[in-house]
Amino acid sequence: MADEPATRETVLVVEDDVLVRMPIAQYLRDCGYKVIEAVSADEAMTVLLHRETVVDIVFSDVDMPGSTDGFGLSKWIREHRPGLDIILAGTVPRAVNAAKELCDDGPTPKPYEPHAVHDHIRRLLAARKATGRT
Amino acid sequence: MGAVGERPRPGQQASAVHTVLVVEDEVLVRLMIADVIRSAGYEVIEAANADEALEVLAHTHGVSLIISDIRTPGSLDGLRLAQLVRSHRPAVPIVLTSGHLRNVDSVDHDGFFPKPYDARKIVEHIEALLARKR
């Protein structure tokens, strides 16, 4: 704990595909952020309404199941949490690049190669496709 | 949330190599238990249901222990997940939690915690289970 940055920003990652969410969340943790994971906009709103949970940045997929998608979440945040930064990343490459930009500015900037993260996610998704899971 | 901020303890480096897969559909409960386990020095992968847990297990090889809620949405519940883990990953301990059942004697498992549980007790249980594996 002693070597953690004093101000550790919290990123709320909203992504319904575990094989994408898992590496992105780990990537951001490695850059020094505290990361909260949500699998839908509904879960994200539950987190954001929870008074004890501090969130500095929302990092969200666009196309998600549930009562609303990433655009709806963005609109909800503008109304209920104005001033909270939201990053919408509609595709895996955009998500990886947005994560890299966060890492560049993060508490523990690391020279991560976004292509490596993207390749890792691509391999996970390809392996799932090969095993017939959708 | 995250009441166990005192951890990790000095000299607990060995636990850092262990990865705990948390399966919980209630986002605030998942956030709390994942936070406490991470604070104890473990890597944590978060899954919102048993289907996601199977995805993680199919595509990663580093999961040391699973903690799963029993009643989760999706094609299978925590009890079925426990049976599959026993069959296909017999070396991986699985600890079950539930807010509805008071015992889960119908399936083989490595511990059961009725909700609401004390997350610190779960961490102590994890430490004991993983110590046996070393």
Side-chain angles (χ1 to χ4, degrees), chain A residues 12 14 48 55-60 73 77 84-87:
Chain A
L12 171 59
V14 193
L48 291 169
V55 174
D56 300 293
I57 302 161
V58 177
F59 184 108
S60 178
L73 175 62
I77 287 172
L84 181 61
D85 288 330
I86 179 161
I87 298 165

Side-chain angles (χ1 to χ4, degrees), chain A residues 114-126:
Chain A
H115 290 299
V117 179
H118 190 194
D119 286 347
H120 179 55
I121 294 172
R122 241 185 350 218
R123 278 196 300 274
L124 289 172
L125 297 178

Side-chain angles (χ1 to χ4, degrees), chain B:
Chain B
M1 307 294 291
V4 187
E6 307 82 29
R7 293 163 183 269
R9 298 184 300 271
Q12 207 183 9
Q13 291 299 318
S15 65
V17 300
H18 285 298
T19 298
V20 176
L21 172 59
V22 171
V23 189
E24 170 61 60
D25 63 315
E26 294 280 343
V27 62
L28 296 179
V29 176
R30 190 174 69 240
L31 163 60
M32 179 275 294
I33 188 66
D35 203 28
V36 172
I37 296 170
R38 279 193 191 98
S39 295
Y42 297 94
E43 295 281 341
V44 176
I45 297 174
E46 299 181 34
N49 53 51
D51 295 285
E52 280 200 352
L54 288 182
E55 288 265 43
V56 170
L57 290 168
H59 296 96
T60 61
H61 298 285
V63 173
S64 306
L65 184 146
I66 300 165
I67 295 174
S68 179
D69 187 21
I70 288 174
R71 187 179 290 187
T72 59
S75 68
L76 68 164
D77 64 8
L79 295 176
R80 181 68 185 135
L81 175 66
Q83 291 171 333
L84 290 172
V85 168
R86 274 290 186 266
S87 302
H88 300 285
R89 296 282 184 93
V92 178
I94 181 159
V95 176
L96 297 170
T97 68
S98 177
H100 305 279
L101 301 176
R102 306 324 290 172
N103 72 72
V104 284
D105 295 341
S106 59
V107 296
D108 193 19
H109 59 81
D110 297 286
F112 173 64
F113 290 81
K115 292 179 183 175
Y117 50 68
D118 181 345
R120 289 167 298 189
K121 297 282 184 196
I122 291 191
V123 169
E124 288 170 10
H125 193 63
I126 291 171
E127 289 170 350
L129 287 170
L130 293 178
R132 271 188 233 161
K133 290 182 74 176
R134 285 190 197 117

Side-chain angles (χ1 to χ4, degrees), chain A residues 10-110:
Chain A
T10 299
V11 182
L12 171 59
V13 172
V14 193
E15 167 61 58
D16 62 307
D17 190 333
V18 67
L19 297 186
V20 178
R21 188 177 71 245
M22 178 174 61
I24 293 280
Q26 189 55 50
Y27 179 51
L28 293 174
R29 284 191 186 101
D30 286 346
C31 293
Y33 289 102
K34 177 177 167 60
V35 177
I36 297 172
E37 300 181 36
V39 302
S40 64
D42 298 288
E43 278 201 355
M45 289 186 274
T46 299
V47 171
L48 291 169
L49 287 171
H50 188 245
R51 287 184 182 180
E52 294 174 38
T53 306
V54 176
V55 174
D56 300 293
I57 302 161
V58 177
F59 184 108
S60 178
D61 187 16
V62 172
D63 188 17
M64 292 180 292
S67 69
T68 189
D69 59 11
F71 292 124
L73 175 62
S74 184
K75 186 168 179 286
W76 184 91
I77 287 172
R78 294 277 177 266
E79 290 170 4
H80 294 85
R81 294 286 300 272
L84 181 61
D85 288 330
I86 179 161
I87 298 165
L88 285 179
T91 62
V92 170
R94 283 184 62 183
V96 170
N97 282 324
K100 179 190 180 299
E101 286 173 18
L102 269 181
C103 274
D104 287 344
D105 297 334
T108 315
K110 288 196 173 186

